Amino acid sequence: MYRRTYQKWSENFDRRMTIRRRVMNALGISLPRQMGDGIRETLKQTLISCATCDHVSSCADWLSLETAISEPPGFCPNKERFKALLKKR
């Protein structure tokens, strides 16, 4: 039972982190080789937020749109964090 629960949780987490990476890639956010504490903290907060987000399906749907992406979707709890990371490119 525990193994199945862990496996389900792990797969769910992996899916969420894959979507997070896809959003960052779609927005053109790349991680610098050396990160200061501000960037590191912002990235940590995006991990936590994506791991607990209620909009996983909406986010996946947004990513599947074949339009130019210039900013995070309005429903994204990381919208302002992603915008801040965009400014630090």
Side-chain angles (χ1 to χ4, degrees):
M1 182 171 127
Y2 293 114
R3 186 174 212 181
R4 189 178 314 158
T5 300
Y6 173 77
Q7 184 175 4
K8 184 176 179 179
W9 179 88
S10 180
E11 288 169 358
N12 184 34
F13 182 79
D14 288 347
R15 179 173 183 247
R16 290 167 179 269
M17 293 304 106
T18 296
I19 289 173
R20 175 183 166 270
R21 282 189 298 274
R22 287 182 58 209
V23 168
M24 291 176 69
N25 287 339
L27 293 169
I29 297 170
S30 57
L31 303 180
R33 288 182 186 259
Q34 298 206 355
M35 293 185 273
D37 290 339
I39 292 175
R40 194 173 287 121
E41 181 62 26
T42 300
L43 289 170
K44 181 177 95 176
Q45 292 303 319
T46 67
L47 286 167
I48 293 167
S49 186
C50 285
T52 59
C53 184
D54 293 330
H55 302 286
V56 177
S57 294
S58 298
C59 195
D61 291 343
W62 176 79
L63 283 165
S64 70
L65 298 174
E66 298 198 14
T67 59
I69 296 174
S70 60
E71 69 174 47
F75 60 79
C76 181
N78 278 323
K79 182 177 182 172
E80 296 306 317
R81 291 180 188 108
F82 287 144
K83 284 183 175 181
L85 290 169
L86 279 168
K87 289 179 185 175
K88 294 179 182 184
R89 300 192 261 183

